[in-house]
Amino acid sequence: MPREVITLQVGQCGNQIGASFWKQLCLEHGIAPDGLLKELPPNIQSIDDRKDVFFYEADDGRYIPRALLIDLEPRVVNKISHSGTYRSLFNPENLFVASDGGGAGNNWA
């Protein structure tokens, strides 16, 4: 039975913690910042580490995180997806920011 974990990164804190989480997972699973597998050392034949739990493999061979990045203010999500080291890792279809980009500041119930 396949097991899959989907992360929801919501808000500034959730997205900042999520970015660190995916950076660590990439290091642990041998995935480069562009989503491609790093080459194994010559003394290791293969690794069966269940990358498919946290990542899905795209048609081009890249590993894409099973993650949704959500925020009302686009600054943090844009930093992760446009200028960060791991900007090529995330699927742009999984990034959701408010259309007005105003954020949640001064919104009181």
Side-chain angles (χ1 to χ4, degrees):
M1 171 188 238
R3 300 189 190 281
E4 299 170 351
V5 175
I6 299 173
T7 62
L8 296 176
Q9 300 171 202
V10 180
Q12 178 181 355
C13 182
N15 281 298
Q16 288 173 331
I17 290 172
S20 295
F21 172 77
W22 289 108
K23 178 181 176 181
Q24 185 63 36
L25 274 179
C26 286
L27 292 172
E28 290 177 5
H29 291 282
I31 297 173
D34 61 359
L36 296 172
L37 283 178
K38 296 178 183 177
E39 290 191 30
L40 294 174
N43 60 339
I44 298 176
Q45 299 298 324
S46 68
I47 298 175
D48 183 26
D49 64 353
R50 301 292 313 257
K51 289 177 207 42
D52 59 326
V53 172
F54 293 103
F55 298 89
Y56 67 90
E57 189 173 4
D59 293 336
D60 62 359
R62 291 179 47 234
Y63 284 89
I64 309 294
R66 297 181 191 277
L68 298 175
L69 286 69
I70 304 165
D71 203 343
L72 292 176
E73 199 271 318
R75 186 177 41 118
V76 175
V77 173
N78 285 343
K79 182 179 178 187
I80 293 168
S81 64
H82 291 57
S83 62
T85 305
Y86 290 83
R87 66 184 169 270
S88 300
L89 187 65
F90 296 95
N91 182 350
E93 293 178 354
N94 295 346
L95 309 176
F96 300 95
V97 293
S99 58
D100 64 358
N106 291 324
N107 288 337
W108 305 96

